[in-house]
Amino acid sequence: MSESYQHMDVSAFQEPKKGNYYCGDSYFYYESEHEFICVLADGLGSGEFAKESSQVVVDVIRDNVHSGIDELIRKSNEVLIGKRGVVLGILKVDYRSETYSFTSIGNIGIMTVTGGKRERCIPSQGFLAGYPRKYKVSRGLLQDEMIFIMFSDGVTDNELTHHLFKEKDVRKIRDMFACSKQKPHKDDVTLIAMKYTE
Protein backbone atom coordinates (compact mmCIF):
# COMPACT_ATOMS: atom_id res chain seq x y z
CA MET A 1 0.00 0.00 0.00
CA SER A 2 1.41 3.44 -0.99
CA GLU A 3 0.04 6.97 -0.85
CA SER A 4 1.38 10.45 -1.52
CA TYR A 5 0.18 13.48 0.38
CA GLN A 6 1.11 17.15 0.59
CA HIS A 7 4.41 16.58 2.42
CA MET A 8 4.56 12.89 3.25
CA ASP A 9 5.02 9.89 0.98
CA VAL A 10 3.96 6.62 2.69
CA SER A 11 4.38 2.98 1.74
CA ALA A 12 3.54 0.02 3.97
CA PHE A 13 4.12 -3.74 3.97
CA GLN A 14 2.15 -6.15 6.18
CA GLU A 15 1.76 -9.92 6.50
CA PRO A 16 0.33 -12.11 9.26
CA LYS A 17 2.32 -14.75 11.10
CA LYS A 18 2.60 -18.01 9.20
CA GLY A 19 -0.57 -20.04 9.60
CA ASN A 20 -2.72 -17.09 10.77
CA TYR A 21 -5.51 -15.39 8.87
CA TYR A 22 -5.55 -12.33 11.13
CA CYS A 23 -2.55 -10.03 11.50
CA GLY A 24 -2.23 -8.83 15.10
CA ASP A 25 -0.69 -5.54 13.93
CA SER A 26 -2.87 -2.53 13.04
CA TYR A 27 -1.69 0.78 11.63
CA PHE A 28 -3.11 4.12 10.60
CA TYR A 29 -1.77 7.34 9.10
CA TYR A 30 -3.33 10.68 8.34
CA GLU A 31 -2.21 14.02 6.92
CA SER A 32 -3.84 17.43 7.13
CA GLU A 33 -2.58 20.82 6.04
CA HIS A 34 -0.71 21.28 9.30
CA GLU A 35 0.21 17.82 10.57
CA PHE A 36 0.86 14.15 9.93
CA ILE A 37 0.42 11.18 12.24
CA CYS A 38 1.33 7.51 11.92
CA VAL A 39 0.41 4.87 14.49
CA LEU A 40 1.43 1.21 14.69
CA ALA A 41 -0.10 -1.04 17.36
CA ASP A 42 0.87 -4.68 17.87
CA GLY A 43 -1.54 -6.77 19.95
CA LEU A 44 0.12 -9.16 22.39
CA GLY A 45 0.29 -12.67 21.02
CA SER A 46 -1.16 -13.22 17.56
CA GLY A 47 -4.39 -13.98 15.79
CA GLU A 48 -7.90 -12.61 16.20
CA PHE A 49 -7.68 -11.35 19.81
CA ALA A 50 -4.37 -9.61 19.15
CA LYS A 51 -6.00 -7.94 16.15
CA GLU A 52 -8.97 -6.85 18.26
CA SER A 53 -6.72 -5.05 20.75
CA SER A 54 -4.53 -3.36 18.16
CA GLN A 55 -7.56 -2.28 16.13
CA VAL A 56 -9.42 -0.63 19.04
CA VAL A 57 -6.30 1.42 19.78
CA VAL A 58 -5.96 2.50 16.15
CA ASP A 59 -9.68 3.35 16.06
CA VAL A 60 -9.55 5.56 19.16
CA ILE A 61 -6.49 7.38 17.83
CA ARG A 62 -8.21 7.88 14.47
CA ASP A 63 -11.15 9.45 16.33
CA ASN A 64 -8.81 11.78 18.28
CA VAL A 65 -6.22 12.40 15.59
CA HIS A 66 -5.52 16.03 16.55
CA SER A 67 -4.77 15.25 20.20
CA GLY A 68 -1.24 15.22 21.60
CA ILE A 69 0.71 12.02 22.23
CA ASP A 70 -0.01 12.01 25.98
CA GLU A 71 -3.75 12.24 25.39
CA LEU A 72 -3.64 9.53 22.71
CA ILE A 73 -1.87 7.13 25.06
CA ARG A 74 -4.35 7.88 27.85
CA LYS A 75 -7.31 7.17 25.56
CA SER A 76 -5.63 4.02 24.24
CA ASN A 77 -5.28 2.71 27.78
CA GLU A 78 -8.96 3.36 28.44
CA VAL A 79 -10.14 1.21 25.52
CA LEU A 80 -7.77 -1.64 26.44
CA ILE A 81 -9.40 -2.39 29.80
CA GLY A 82 -10.45 -6.05 29.68
CA LYS A 83 -8.54 -6.74 26.46
CA ARG A 84 -5.11 -8.00 25.55
CA GLY A 85 -2.40 -5.37 25.79
CA VAL A 86 -0.55 -3.76 22.90
CA VAL A 87 2.84 -2.34 22.18
CA LEU A 88 2.50 1.00 20.43
CA GLY A 89 4.43 3.48 18.30
CA ILE A 90 3.17 6.99 17.51
CA LEU A 91 4.83 9.51 15.16
CA LYS A 92 3.46 13.06 14.95
CA VAL A 93 4.81 15.68 12.54
CA ASP A 94 3.97 19.38 12.87
CA TYR A 95 4.48 21.20 9.57
CA ARG A 96 4.06 24.65 11.10
CA SER A 97 6.91 24.29 13.60
CA GLU A 98 8.82 21.89 11.29
CA THR A 99 9.22 19.41 14.14
CA TYR A 100 8.45 15.77 14.78
CA SER A 101 7.81 13.81 17.95
CA PHE A 102 7.48 10.11 18.53
CA THR A 103 7.17 7.53 21.26
CA SER A 104 7.52 3.78 21.30
CA ILE A 105 6.16 1.64 24.12
CA GLY A 106 7.35 -1.93 23.89
CA ASN A 107 9.03 -3.34 20.83
CA ILE A 108 7.76 -1.10 18.05
CA GLY A 109 10.82 0.15 16.19
CA ILE A 110 11.14 3.69 14.90
CA MET A 111 14.11 4.90 12.84
CA THR A 112 14.98 8.19 11.18
CA VAL A 113 17.20 8.38 8.11
CA THR A 114 18.76 11.71 7.16
CA GLY A 115 21.33 11.89 4.39
CA GLY A 116 21.97 8.17 4.70
CA LYS A 117 22.58 8.45 8.45
CA ARG A 118 20.13 6.39 10.51
CA GLU A 119 19.13 6.73 14.13
CA ARG A 120 16.97 4.28 16.05
CA CYS A 121 14.64 5.27 18.87
CA ILE A 122 15.13 3.29 22.07
CA PRO A 123 11.62 2.19 23.07
CA SER A 124 10.22 2.39 26.59
CA GLN A 125 9.80 -1.02 28.19
CA GLY A 126 6.47 -2.72 28.73
CA PHE A 127 3.10 -2.47 27.00
CA LEU A 128 -0.27 -0.75 27.33
CA ALA A 129 -2.98 -2.78 29.04
CA GLY A 130 -5.40 -0.35 30.67
CA TYR A 131 -3.18 1.21 33.32
CA PRO A 132 -0.62 4.07 33.32
CA ARG A 133 2.76 3.30 31.82
CA LYS A 134 5.89 5.43 31.89
CA TYR A 135 7.22 6.39 28.47
CA LYS A 136 9.36 9.04 26.86
CA VAL A 137 8.68 11.25 23.86
CA SER A 138 11.58 12.02 21.50
CA ARG A 139 11.54 15.23 19.48
CA GLY A 140 13.53 16.66 16.60
CA LEU A 141 13.61 19.10 13.70
CA LEU A 142 12.33 18.09 10.28
CA GLN A 143 14.75 18.03 7.37
CA ASP A 144 13.89 17.87 3.71
CA GLU A 145 13.81 14.28 2.38
CA MET A 146 13.94 12.86 5.90
CA ILE A 147 12.75 9.26 6.06
CA PHE A 148 10.95 7.63 8.98
CA ILE A 149 10.62 3.86 9.25
CA MET A 150 8.28 2.25 11.78
CA PHE A 151 8.08 -1.52 12.22
CA SER A 152 6.71 -4.24 14.47
CA ASP A 153 8.83 -6.86 16.20
CA GLY A 154 8.21 -9.35 13.40
CA VAL A 155 10.90 -7.39 11.52
CA THR A 156 14.35 -8.70 12.43
CA ASP A 157 17.57 -6.68 12.53
CA ASN A 158 18.94 -8.89 9.74
CA GLU A 159 16.12 -7.73 7.48
CA LEU A 160 16.95 -4.05 8.07
CA THR A 161 19.90 -4.14 5.71
CA HIS A 162 22.00 -1.05 5.01
CA HIS A 163 20.78 -1.15 1.40
CA LEU A 164 17.30 -0.15 2.58
CA PHE A 165 18.61 3.08 4.03
CA LYS A 166 20.34 4.16 0.86
CA GLU A 167 16.98 4.36 -0.90
CA LYS A 168 15.03 7.62 -1.05
CA ASP A 169 11.87 6.15 -2.58
CA VAL A 170 9.55 4.65 0.05
CA ARG A 171 8.07 2.20 -2.47
CA LYS A 172 11.53 0.82 -3.22
CA ILE A 173 12.21 0.53 0.52
CA ARG A 174 8.99 -1.47 0.91
CA ASP A 175 9.71 -3.68 -2.09
CA MET A 176 13.33 -4.33 -1.08
CA PHE A 177 12.19 -5.28 2.41
CA ALA A 178 9.53 -7.61 0.99
CA CYS A 179 12.18 -9.37 -1.07
CA SER A 180 14.70 -9.64 1.78
CA LYS A 181 12.44 -10.71 4.63
CA GLN A 182 12.81 -14.18 5.99
CA LYS A 183 10.16 -16.80 5.24
CA PRO A 184 8.28 -18.28 6.95
CA HIS A 185 8.16 -15.57 9.60
CA LYS A 186 7.38 -16.42 13.20
CA ASP A 187 5.45 -13.25 13.99
CA ASP A 188 3.18 -10.69 12.35
CA VAL A 189 5.19 -8.31 10.18
CA THR A 190 4.50 -4.62 9.50
CA LEU A 191 6.92 -2.06 8.07
CA ILE A 192 5.89 1.51 7.20
CA ALA A 193 8.27 3.80 5.30
CA MET A 194 7.53 7.55 5.26
CA LYS A 195 9.40 10.37 3.50
CA TYR A 196 9.00 14.06 4.29
CA THR A 197 9.51 16.71 1.60
CA GLU A 198 9.19 20.43 2.12
Side-chain angles (χ1 to χ4, degrees), residues 14 24-27 38-44 54 57-58 86-91 102-111 120-128 136 149-155 160 187-192 194:
Q14 184 174 75
D25 301 346
S26 297
Y27 67 91
C38 181
V39 178
L40 174 56
D42 179 354
L44 299 187
S54 66
V57 167
V58 164
V86 303
V87 294
L88 177 66
I90 302 174
L91 167 69
F102 56 73
T103 191
S104 173
I105 301 171
N107 45 12
I108 296 294
I110 302 177
M111 302 180 83
R120 187 166 181 170
C121 166
I122 304 300
S124 304
Q125 292 184 335
F127 54 89
L128 296 182
K136 63 182 183 296
I149 298 177
M150 189 182 292
F151 49 93
S152 63
D153 65 344
V155 178
L160 295 172
D187 204 345
D188 300 318
V189 174
T190 304
L191 182 136
I192 309 165
M194 299 157 274

Side-chain angles (χ1 to χ4, degrees), residues 10-11 14 32 44 69 72 89 96 110 115 131 144 148 160 164 168 185-186 191:
V10 184
S11 193
Q14 184 174 75
S32 69
L44 299 187
I69 287 178
L72 294 176
R96 290 167 293 191
I110 302 177
Y131 51 87
D144 191 31
F148 301 90
L160 295 172
L164 284 181
K168 294 188 176 181
H185 37 277
K186 299 176 181 177
L191 182 136

